[in-house]
Amino acid sequence: MIDHVPLLQGSCFCQAISYAVSARPILSAYCHCTSCQRLTSCPFVHTMHFDASAFTWTHPEPHESRLDFYDNILMPYKRRYRCKTCGVGVASHNYNTNRVSIWGASLDRDEDGKVVGWDIAKPTAHQFYGTRMLDVNDELSKWQGYQSNSDCLD
């Protein structure tokens, strides 16, 4: 169980795996990197990064019995977790930074389909925008790499 009050919670499509985070994201952005594009078959994803200590699996133990994983061959320090039942990826762990990433589409929704805790999860930028598959016309800043750690493209 989680030691702190969860701020955000989510699950895979079939809800066989679930998680909670007890801190605000260190980063919340739309990621346009080619790894995210190829691993999700989508033009971009909403990613949120947290210290690993703020993340916990909340589905019944043993957690590994419901989880499958993929180690990125280009970045072997990153492990992506997905559900063994429905195949949906919901999180990754970067062992170099000891951060966990979750994807916004896996967050819990209210009865109207809105993300619960959107005020906490809302993205603040687009990252790796140079490799975008489509232009996004919104008020968020666009970055070549990570927000504030690369060139701003605006």
Side-chain angles (χ1 to χ4, degrees):
M1 271 298 145
I2 195 160
D3 293 334
H4 306 287
V5 175
L7 293 179
L8 298 168
Q9 298 179 78
S11 65
C12 62
F13 179 76
C14 73
Q15 299 182 334
I17 61 172
S18 57
Y19 63 85
V21 290
S22 61
R24 291 185 166 273
I26 296 165
L27 175 146
S28 181
Y30 293 120
C31 185
H32 299 262
C33 78
T34 57
S35 290
C36 283
Q37 291 169 357
R38 295 187 59 98
L39 286 165
T40 64
S41 297
C42 295
F44 60 92
V45 298
H46 174 199
T47 184
M48 291 170 281
H49 298 192
F50 301 87
D51 283 327
S53 63
F55 177 89
T56 189
W57 296 112
T58 57
H59 58 273
E61 293 190 34
H63 299 304
E64 299 76 22
S65 68
R66 297 180 184 209
L67 293 170
D68 195 8
F69 66 85
Y70 169 75
D71 291 328
N72 187 330
I73 58 172
L74 300 176
M75 295 174 266
Y77 51 89
K78 282 190 173 182
R79 176 168 281 185
R80 291 179 178 258
Y81 293 95
R82 59 187 172 225
C83 176
K84 282 185 178 178
T85 303
C86 68
V88 169
V90 296
S92 71
H93 186 185
N94 182 325
Y95 291 97
N96 283 352
T97 63
N98 201 29
R99 289 186 179 169
V100 170
S101 301
I102 62 171
W103 296 281
S106 70
L107 291 170
D108 286 351
R109 307 296 178 105
D110 65 18
E111 59 278 353
D112 296 323
K114 305 277 186 192
V115 170
V116 176
W118 183 246
D119 56 322
I120 296 168
K122 188 176 179 181
T124 60
H126 291 269
Q127 62 189 25
F128 299 95
Y129 197 70
T131 55
R132 68 189 176 280
M133 294 178 68
L134 55 92
D135 292 334
V136 179
N137 297 314
D138 62 16
E139 72 286 352
L140 300 179
S141 57
K142 297 359 182 230
W143 297 84
Q144 184 65 32
Y146 287 109
Q147 181 180 2
S148 302
N149 289 334
S150 64
D151 291 334
C152 188
L153 302 174
D154 293 331

